Amino acid sequence: MNYKLLLEISIGLLRARLKQSVIAGVGVMFGITMFITLISFMNGLNQMLDGLVINRTAHIRLYNEIKPSTNQPINQSKIYKKSINFISSIKPKDKGKEVYNSESVMHALKQDSRVLGIAPKISTPVFYSSGKVDFPGLINGIDIDAEQKLFFLNDYIIKGHPADLGIVNNSIILGKGVAEKLLVDIGDVMYVTTAQGNITALKVVGLIQFGLLEIDNAQSYTSIQTAQKMMGESNNYITDINIKLKDLSQAPALAKEYSKQFELDAIDIQTANAQFETGSSIRSIISYTVGITLLIVAGFGIYNILNMMIYEKMDSIAIMKATGFSGRDVKYIFIFLSLIIGIAGGIFGLLFGYILSSIIDQIPFETASLPTIKTYPIYYNPIYYMIGFIFAIATTYIAGLLPARKASSIDPVEIIRGK
């Protein structure tokens, strides 16, 4: 089989019906362009939203939850031990929020090959004070280096530098909403009162904004050492251990394992953010569905054009078969014709998809709730371009296969006799 000759015949047929061929190619190009643009934009949007919640959430959080004791005194009685005891108005047991033996727990986690990194934290409710302004909030004592490495804290700093927390004694990075309520800025001194009644003067070294109003209006950050000093606790006092894993899918199973191993409460990221992950998945499904639908519609256009071309080229097909071309040769001619349209449309579609994505990436998008986002988010992933090109070829191949098989089965005697 002379594939070079068959390819030349396919190109000749394309030139003979150039207008229809160009329209078919434009249909494929438009489908690929919109697929690339839509999927890049939707996944860019997903990444942006993930950055607001998922990137700031530990894969596993170890902590002590305040809850009623499961081992009530009546259940230890010899008389009622084997009975079914109904107890009401059980009060929670205050065993403290401290993660006991935190040093050995963190050491064990660091030795675990499944763990990417850990970040200890102290969370404590406080009252912010500046002059006559006084309102409740939450301060997080953090390990600066671990927080930046694992949770990208620096991406949300709108003023100042997070490293100053480890340099300036008794310093704090305020949530943007907190700073606006207190009317303070970098360099100002404000006061916080802890639940233990301790009052501490803190110097503002930065402002942070996550884009979530309830967080920005309440939360602030200081170093672990400052938080321990504020609360009057020892140097090994920790309330949370946040864990980032190498494989996110292992979080639910490892949360149960660590909870049992260290006798601590544990919550995984899937449980904490189930609704958010569902929304992200739905957006991705919608974008893929719309893009693939566009390609399928373009495939129908190719099918119709090739079908009409076969009817118009009955004479040519009959002559080719009468001069020695087999039905298989004729089938390959029309398959090559279809693939040429698909490849050309796919290449131009990828090019225009990238150009359109780049244009969108430059459009200003500024909002007070997303201070780190300056333009519309686009995610440039080579896999999307590969999927689009492969699907373009597959769609055009299938669209051309049925007309090609029909052309291969044409009886030249019937055509010539009809003429």
Side-chain angles (χ1 to χ4, degrees), residues 45 67 99 112 116 130 166 192 236 241 245 262 266 269 277 283 289 318 321 342 350 403:
L45 179 63
K67 55 187 176 182
V99 175
D112 194 327
L116 178 64
S130 181
V192 296
N236 60 356
I241 299 177
L245 302 175
F262 301 121
I269 190 171
E277 286 194 340
R283 287 191 297 270
T289 301
K321 299 191 77 171
L350 297 181

Side-chain angles (χ1 to χ4, degrees), residues 113-376:
S113 60
R114 298 167 295 184
V115 175
L116 178 64
I118 61 171
K121 186 172 78 169
I122 297 174
S123 294
T124 178
V126 296
F127 281 94
Y128 298 109
S129 301
S130 181
K132 295 183 178 181
V133 179
D134 194 14
F135 64 93
L138 181 71
I139 285 185
N140 296 303
I142 57 173
D143 181 322
I144 313 302
D145 294 333
E147 201 72 18
Q148 289 194 75
K149 178 183 177 182
L150 300 177
F151 301 106
F152 314 104
L153 184 69
N154 196 52
D155 291 347
Y156 304 94
I157 301 294
I158 58 174
K159 209 170 184 181
H161 302 281
D164 290 344
L165 286 182
I167 300 173
V168 181
N169 291 328
N170 293 345
S171 56
I172 188 171
I173 293 179
L174 287 177
K176 184 173 181 292
V178 177
E180 290 175 348
K181 289 182 180 180
L182 295 175
L183 299 176
V184 296
D185 204 343
I186 290 180
D188 293 337
V189 175
M190 42 84 66
Y191 295 86
V192 296
T193 304
T194 65
Q196 294 79 14
N198 302 326
I199 301 176
T200 306
L202 298 175
K203 184 177 182 179
V204 180
V205 295
L207 301 180
I208 192 168
Q209 183 177 9
F210 294 106
L212 302 173
L213 195 61
E214 58 186 24
I215 293 178
D216 294 332
N217 284 345
Q219 287 195 20
S220 299
Y221 291 84
T222 187
S223 66
I224 284 182
Q225 293 75 18
T226 301
Q228 290 167 342
K229 205 170 7 174
M230 285 168 45
M231 300 175 69
E233 299 289 351
S234 62
N235 292 336
N236 60 356
Y237 179 84
I238 296 293
T239 62
D240 301 84
I241 299 177
N242 293 324
I243 305 169
K244 272 284 181 85
L245 302 175
K246 295 178 180 177
D247 184 2
L248 178 60
S249 62
Q250 293 183 335
L254 286 180
K256 294 178 182 178
E257 179 184 327
Y258 292 152
S259 178
K260 185 177 180 181
Q261 179 181 351
F262 301 121
E263 296 182 353
L264 293 168
D265 294 295
I267 185 169
D268 60 90
I269 190 171
Q270 283 89 341
T271 301
N273 298 280
Q275 292 181 340
F276 186 84
E277 286 194 340
T278 300
S280 181
S281 300
I282 290 174
R283 287 191 297 270
S284 295
I285 291 172
I286 291 172
S287 56
Y288 274 107
T289 301
V290 173
I292 291 173
T293 300
L294 291 171
L295 296 180
I296 291 174
V297 171
F300 277 110
I302 293 172
Y303 171 80
N304 290 331
I305 289 172
L306 291 181
N307 229 7
M308 293 301 297
M309 188 178 292
I310 289 170
Y311 279 110
E312 293 175 358
K313 296 296 181 181
M314 286 290 190
D315 291 349
S316 302
I317 295 171
I319 291 171
M320 283 190 294
K321 299 191 77 171
T323 55
F325 284 89
S326 65
R328 188 180 179 189
D329 293 335
V330 174
K331 182 176 76 172
Y332 274 105
I333 287 171
F334 283 92
I335 288 177
F336 286 156
L337 191 152
S338 177
L339 288 177
I340 291 170
I341 294 174
I343 292 172
I347 292 173
F348 281 102
L350 297 181
L351 177 62
F352 283 104
Y354 177 78
I355 292 173
L356 186 56
S357 298
S358 300
I359 292 172
I360 294 174
D361 197 13
Q362 300 303 316
I363 298 175
F365 175 65
E366 297 184 7
T367 172
S369 61
L370 300 170
T372 58
I373 304 298
K374 301 300 181 184
T375 60
Y376 282 101

Side-chain angles (χ1 to χ4, degrees), residues 20-85:
Q20 288 83 347
S21 301
V22 170
I23 291 173
V26 169
V28 177
M29 182 193 74
F30 179 76
I32 296 295
T33 299
M34 297 311 298
F35 173 79
I36 295 297
T37 305
L38 184 63
I39 202 71
S40 299
F41 177 70
M42 291 301 293
N43 281 278
L45 179 63
N46 283 344
Q47 282 201 332
M48 181 189 71
L49 295 176
D50 287 350
L52 292 175
V53 179
I54 303 298
N55 287 345
R56 290 292 307 150
T57 305
H59 293 171
I60 299 175
R61 174 184 167 226
L62 298 179
Y63 64 106
N64 273 321
E65 186 175 0
I66 297 176
K67 55 187 176 182
S69 174
T70 55
N71 192 12
Q72 295 295 317
I74 193 171
N75 294 325
Q76 301 178 32
S77 169
K78 294 181 180 180
I79 301 175
Y80 301 105
K81 187 175 184 179
K82 296 183 180 180
S83 303
I84 299 176
N85 302 306

